[in-house]
Amino acid sequence: MAIHVNTTHFTEKPDCTGRLEKERRVYDLLDQLHIAYEGVDHDTADTIEDCAAVEDELGVKICKNLFLRNRQKTTFFLLLMPGDKKFLTKDLSAQLGISRLSFAEPEFMEQYLDITPGSVSVLGLMNDKDWDVSLLIDEDLLKDEYIGCHPCINSSTLKIRMNDIMNKFLKHTGHRPTLVRL
């Protein structure tokens, strides 16, 4: 079932009446860092499949974001990868030298990134002040000029230059990505 996507785009902080504080903080930080964005509001998009209509509206591929952990629940990873790529846990585990990776539980998403399932995004790293989450980026994602991601809530999506994420946003948060090949 296709989700409804608002055809009105915004390129500056939208009216934040009724928006969550964590979403408002994303727009404030992007403005502070002089990062241009184009966004749309839409029905809740919980899966990459839900985002097909958003991709069409914004003209950008939506990034698949996976929040992972080791077996002991002591090491956490945010994996960014092309939305159309299949994720195989064993391939990534082998690259990282970790015996078994699992999807992290919602409480860890909220604790470290202030996000909930379906809203995972690179922009959540702004809330990881102690660098508890390691960022992993599939190298194929870097071939795209833009990245499509949620502003910490899955009822809006932003189109942002990959270069701005890598050189402005991540520089600000202090997260250094590890490139992986999936």
Side-chain angles (χ1 to χ4, degrees), residues 50-115:
D50 290 342
C51 293
V54 177
E55 286 183 345
D56 291 343
E57 184 62 36
L58 279 176
V60 65
K61 291 181 183 175
I62 304 300
C63 175
K64 186 183 289 185
N65 302 272
L66 304 175
F67 191 57
L68 307 167
R69 63 162 175 82
N70 65 353
R71 182 188 318 238
Q72 298 80 13
K73 302 180 184 180
T74 57
T75 306
F76 298 89
F77 303 93
L78 174 59
L79 171 64
L80 309 183
M81 61 186 290
D84 58 356
K85 208 173 208 187
K86 185 175 172 93
F87 173 65
L88 298 173
T89 312
K90 65 180 174 69
D91 293 348
L92 183 59
S93 293
Q95 285 183 62
L96 298 176
I98 294 176
S99 61
R100 190 175 130 234
L101 285 173
S102 299
F103 291 99
E105 291 77 5
E107 58 265 25
F108 293 119
M109 292 179 192
E110 291 187 50
Q111 177 182 346
Y112 295 119
L113 301 177
D114 191 21
I115 51 177

